[in-house]
């Protein structure tokens, strides 16, 4: 009976070692996959950030150009609007 017990104990130890090795391989595989996914997500975020920045810069440039054209077409109205805005901001700041 002792011999059989020793064989079974050896088999269990072998199975545990195999399980340990398999878990180590799985852990390494998950690590590699996570790093690859993180890299891909980082690259996608950079691409989207650059696109958003370019869109914002383009919109700002278009708005600036449109404002310049409007000011050139209607200089008196532009001066009056700016003065009115200055009065409003001044009044709001004076209340504080």
């Amino acid at each position: 009976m002792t011999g059989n017990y020793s064989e079974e104990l050896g088999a269990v130890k072998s199975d545990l070692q195999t399980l340990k090795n398999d878990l180590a391989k799985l852990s390494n595989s998950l690590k590699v996959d996570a790093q690859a996914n993180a890299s891909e997500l980082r690259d996608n975020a950079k691409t989207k950030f650059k696109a958003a920045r370019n869109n914002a810069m383009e919109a700002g440039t278009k708005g600036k150009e449109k404002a310049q054209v409007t000011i050139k077409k209607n200089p008196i109205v532009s001066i009056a609007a700016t003065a009115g805005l200055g009065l409003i901001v001044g009044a709001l700041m004076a209340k504080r």
Side-chain angles (χ1 to χ4, degrees):
M1 192 86 162
T2 305
N4 193 19
Y5 175 74
S6 295
E7 288 176 14
E8 287 181 20
L9 185 60
V12 169
K13 285 182 179 179
S14 176
D15 289 345
L16 286 175
Q17 186 61 40
T18 302
L19 180 60
K20 181 180 173 183
N21 292 339
D22 288 347
L23 286 174
K25 288 177 186 177
L26 179 60
S27 176
N28 286 335
S29 176
L30 288 173
K31 179 181 174 183
V32 169
D33 286 347
Q35 288 173 340
N37 288 339
S39 178
E40 183 179 338
L41 289 173
R42 184 175 44 250
D43 291 342
N44 287 342
K46 283 181 182 179
T47 301
K48 288 181 180 182
F49 174 76
K50 287 179 182 177
R53 183 180 59 194
N54 290 339
N55 288 341
M57 290 177 69
E58 185 178 322
T61 302
K62 286 181 181 179
K64 178 183 168 186
E65 291 170 356
K66 186 175 180 180
Q68 288 174 341
V69 168
T70 302
I71 290 170
K72 285 182 182 179
K73 285 183 178 180
N74 304 308
I76 294 175
V77 173
S78 299
I79 292 171
T82 304
L85 184 60
L87 287 172
I88 292 170
V89 170
L92 290 174
M93 293 183 77
K95 289 184 179 182
R96 287 185 177 204

